[in-house]
Amino acid sequence: MTEKTLTGPLPPVRTWPALDLPGTDFDPVLRELMAQGPVTRIKLPNGDGWAWLVTRHDDVRLVANDPRFGREPVMDRQVTRLAPHFIPAPGAVGFLDPPDHTRLRRTVAAAFTARGVERVREKSRRVLEELISAMLSQGPPADLTSAVLSPFPIAVICELMGVPAADREAMHTWTQLILSSAHGADVSERAKQEMGAYFSDLIGLRESGTGEDVASLLGAAVGRGEVTLDEAVGLALLLQIGGEAVTNNSGQMIHVLLTRPELARRLRDDPGIRPQAVDELLRWIPHRNAVGLSRIALQDVEIRGVRIRAGDAVYVSYLAANRDPEVFADPDAIDISRSPNPHVSFGFGPHYCPGSMLARLESELLVGTLLDRVPTLRLAVPPEDVPFRKGALIRGPEALPVTW
């Protein structure tokens, strides 16, 4: 007997290869899957078996926020996945479900509130101004990624985390090795262990501290017995690594502005529309390759006539949700007047990115300061010659050659 959904046969399993896509092109496989239906089945390059893929905006939000889908059971499974190295540490916050997930995130919430983010605003602005000044003083051409887009988010997240400036480069190196699939699982795991040992020492030194940075908040929570040191280290790793995503996101944003001079001109002439424009760019840019972390259905759930059975692996695509034509008119167009703009670029539900306000602050500072300080900024090579990262889970330009 053929296995069926509630309304017909199961959709075929679509193999989704790890594509190195040019520029900000939308993944053609994801586009085909979106056209195939709201709930499809996929097989990624690594892991075992197949998984459900949910792509509609409302369904993505449902799965991301519904306690009938859990992250913790993924720990015991070799779910089909993009990354060749998948070695989550027990207790890692990305694989916790409430109430443990809620308890752990609460310890650092103060650092990521509006007040916490404002604490680093002026320091961030000064760092950015210094980096741009250094680039201008050396004269064109320059690689905007290495000169500004990479060191700026590293400095900001290290400031928020409480990592001394002298250790920024080590943090950056570890992060790149963890996020790349090109060096193999052993290299990635060693980098993760080394970063973990670093944070274990840093947090341990601050168990009686009263600082407002993340390491101090985690140290104090460990000292009060609210979280274990292993839990605190796992959260610190996630936040530190996530902080560098701004390099790739802002790189894609600047790439869009440099290849659409009329859009850059509008933002240069009207600073008031920049926050809304950044929000629209956050919706539109393809942040990652394929999909991120899966969930496991904890009981049978029906979505759009498809029965997802208890134990099935389920992925949501935030990229697809951000292009849902039922929610976003003309979703493939960049419309900086779009309002409302309920994009899910920072996730949804319990695992919503805690650093969303910080990422917005950094993106707005980068876009605004570059437009104002370097009004003649332009690509130094043809757009098709801008190299984008290969073998990476997160998408973005590896280098952004510019002149002015």
Side-chain angles (χ1 to χ4, degrees):
M1 181 175 173
T2 304
E3 195 174 2
K4 296 184 177 182
T5 66
L6 299 181
T7 56
L10 281 174
V13 176
R14 171 66 193 266
T15 297
W16 195 350
L19 302 174
D20 285 322
L21 297 163
T24 52
D25 287 4
F26 196 78
D27 190 326
V29 177
L30 180 55
R31 195 176 293 283
E32 290 173 17
L33 287 162
M34 291 166 64
Q36 183 181 324
V39 185
T40 55
R41 295 197 296 165
I42 57 170
K43 179 176 178 56
L44 294 158
N46 297 286
D48 297 329
W50 57 268
W52 294 104
L53 175 69
V54 175
T55 54
R56 296 283 174 84
H57 188 271
D58 290 350
D59 303 331
V60 163
R61 286 165 48 124
L62 182 149
V63 172
N65 200 37
D66 193 318
R68 294 176 296 176
F69 299 92
R71 281 270 179 85
E72 288 186 46
V74 179
M75 294 286 294
D76 303 318
R77 300 268 298 274
Q78 283 293 318
V79 175
T80 185
R81 62 185 187 274
L82 179 64
H85 46 273
F86 177 71
I87 319 167
V93 69
F95 294 92
L96 288 179
D97 295 318
D100 283 338
H101 179 265
T102 310
R103 170 181 58 84
L104 192 51
R105 281 190 45 153
R106 190 184 299 125
T107 61
V108 297
F112 294 96
T113 60
R115 178 180 175 275
V117 171
E118 280 301 312
R119 185 179 68 83
V120 300
R121 178 186 288 272
E122 281 312 308
K123 181 76 174 285
S124 301
R125 190 189 303 278
R126 288 198 301 273
V127 168
L128 180 57
E129 293 281 1
E130 290 167 5
L131 289 168
I132 293 175
S133 294
M135 181 184 76
L136 293 175
S137 68
Q138 291 175 14
D143 172 15
L144 193 64
T145 298
S146 61
V148 178
L149 301 180
S150 179
F152 174 61
I154 296 167
V156 174
I157 192 61
C158 284
E159 177 73 17
L160 196 80
M161 294 294 295
V163 172
D167 297 332
R168 288 175 187 168
E169 191 55 41
M171 283 291 162
H172 175 59
T173 300
W174 286 327
T175 296
Q176 295 308 303
L177 292 175
I178 292 168
L179 287 178
S180 174
S181 61
H183 302 283
D186 291 344
V187 172
S188 176
E189 176 60 14
R190 186 163 60 250
K192 188 186 297 184
Q193 289 175 353
E194 290 172 358
M195 186 189 280
Y198 175 93
F199 274 117
S200 181
D201 290 342
L202 187 66
I203 293 167
L205 289 170
R206 300 185 185 180
E207 285 191 17
S208 57
T210 57
E212 296 180 281
D213 59 84
V214 170
S216 296
L217 293 172
L218 287 172
V222 171
R224 293 191 299 266
E226 296 172 1
V227 298
T228 67
L229 181 58
D230 284 347
E231 287 176 327
V233 168
L235 180 53
L237 260 69
L238 183 74
L239 295 172
Q240 179 70 39
I241 293 168
E244 287 205 36
V246 174
T247 295
N248 297 295
N249 289 347
S250 60
Q252 291 197 62
M253 287 186 194
I254 302 301
H255 179 266
V256 168
L257 294 177
L258 294 178
T259 53
R260 302 182 187 219
E262 72 292 342
L263 178 56
R265 194 176 305 112
R266 286 182 65 188
L267 299 189
R268 190 177 296 112
D269 294 343
D270 188 357
I273 64 174
R274 290 173 186 173
Q276 193 168 344
V278 165
D279 215 36
E280 171 67 351
L281 289 170
L282 283 168
R283 178 196 72 85
W284 187 86
I285 59 176
H287 299 258
R288 61 163 304 113
N289 282 314
V291 282
L293 300 179
S294 68
R295 292 169 174 81
I296 303 295
L298 305 181
Q299 63 187 73
D300 287 6
V301 182
E302 180 187 340
I303 298 179
R304 306 245 183 183
V306 174
R307 174 176 288 138
I308 296 173
R309 299 187 181 277
D312 285 354
V314 184
Y315 281 100
V316 299
S317 172
Y318 293 120
L319 298 185
N322 282 346
R323 302 286 182 112
D324 187 340
E326 294 181 6
V327 177
F328 304 99
D330 197 6
D332 291 332
I334 298 174
D335 178 5
I336 61 174
S337 64
R338 192 182 298 278
S339 181
N341 192 349
H343 68 74
V344 285
S345 298
F346 295 111
F348 193 76
H351 290 276
Y352 181 83
C353 174
S356 60
M357 279 195 285
L358 182 68
R360 278 193 171 93
L361 167 70
E362 293 177 71
S363 296
E364 289 174 16
L365 282 174
L366 275 164
V367 169
T369 309
L370 283 168
L371 286 172
D372 293 339
R373 288 281 310 272
V374 203
T376 58
L377 189 70
R378 60 191 185 278
L379 285 177
V381 297
E384 61 272 16
D385 290 343
V386 174
F388 272 67
R389 297 184 188 279
K390 297 186 184 301
L393 307 180
I394 308 300
R395 290 180 63 179
E398 186 173 5
L400 202 52
V402 294
T403 188
W404 53 90

